[in-house]
Amino acid sequence: MIKIVKEEYELEELSEVLLNFYAMMPYTKKDDAVELRINWESKWKKLIDAGVGAILALKKSGKIIGGIGMMFYPALEDDVMTCSETFWYVDEKERGEGLKLLLKAQKHAKELGAKRMSMVHLTHSMPDRLKGLYERLGFKEIETHYIKEI
């Protein structure tokens, strides 16, 4: 089942799952997990309440096993309402369900007025597989991001 996250308890439950996602990030330290979780929940609550953020949670047997976060904004280049995925994570044992989550997110973004959707992927997390999936779904690769701590 896929559900729109609106309640604080849902953000809390999802943040447990996302700690696994953030553990894969090169700039996240395991010692920061508690603070990261608290900050994540409060930031997303503000984004959702402001109407510029949305999260869909994937539930199985009453438990959240994954989610996709989206931010909405008019693109600076051409003012087209854009939905950018900010995270997309499904528990490793349930990865086959991730495509349903992405397709539902795309539909939800369109319902909210988005005309464009952008997706990202971590270069060390199934890059060839995700590239193939995105291309099959009609996404075009347009840029690569680099990050440096300064």
Side-chain angles (χ1 to χ4, degrees):
M1 173 177 78
I2 298 173
K3 182 180 186 324
I4 299 170
V5 173
K6 293 186 179 182
E7 304 297 329
E8 286 187 46
Y9 77 89
E10 294 168 316
L11 286 170
E12 290 173 21
E13 187 178 348
L14 185 56
S15 70
E16 288 290 327
V17 174
L18 288 177
L19 287 176
N20 295 323
F21 171 74
Y22 284 108
M24 297 180 342
M25 298 293 197
Y27 46 81
T28 304
K29 299 175 190 157
K30 289 188 179 192
D31 297 344
D32 297 336
V34 173
E35 186 176 336
L36 178 69
R37 179 179 169 194
I38 292 167
N39 288 335
W40 184 90
E41 290 171 22
S42 68
K43 287 176 186 175
W44 272 101
K45 179 79 171 114
K46 289 176 186 171
L47 292 169
I48 291 168
D49 289 348
V52 296
I55 298 176
L56 298 181
L58 179 62
K59 291 187 107 174
K60 187 172 183 181
S61 302
K63 181 180 177 193
I64 293 177
I65 60 168
I68 188 166
M70 302 170 282
M71 300 231 356
F72 298 87
Y73 57 91
L76 296 173
E77 305 80 17
D78 57 10
D79 213 32
V80 170
M81 183 52 72
T82 302
C83 169
S84 286
E85 168 256 336
T86 59
F87 69 86
W88 177 31
Y89 182 81
V90 175
D91 184 276
E92 289 184 24
K93 297 176 211 108
E94 307 291 343
R95 287 278 162 88
E97 301 292 314
L99 180 57
K100 293 177 191 173
L101 188 58
L102 173 58
L103 294 175
K104 182 72 172 184
Q106 203 171 310
K107 182 179 177 188
H108 185 65
K110 193 172 185 178
E111 290 168 355
L112 293 177
K115 304 288 185 213
R116 180 181 294 146
M117 185 168 189
S118 67
M119 298 294 293
V120 297
H121 68 82
L122 299 172
T123 56
H124 63 281
S125 178
M126 306 181 295
D128 296 330
R129 193 167 160 196
L130 284 173
K131 179 179 169 76
L133 172 66
Y134 291 156
E135 289 174 353
R136 279 192 306 280
L137 293 175
F139 289 88
K140 298 175 195 157
E141 184 176 359
I142 60 167
E143 70 182 293
T144 301
H145 291 258
Y146 294 87
I147 290 180
K148 177 183 177 182
E149 300 295 327
I150 55 173

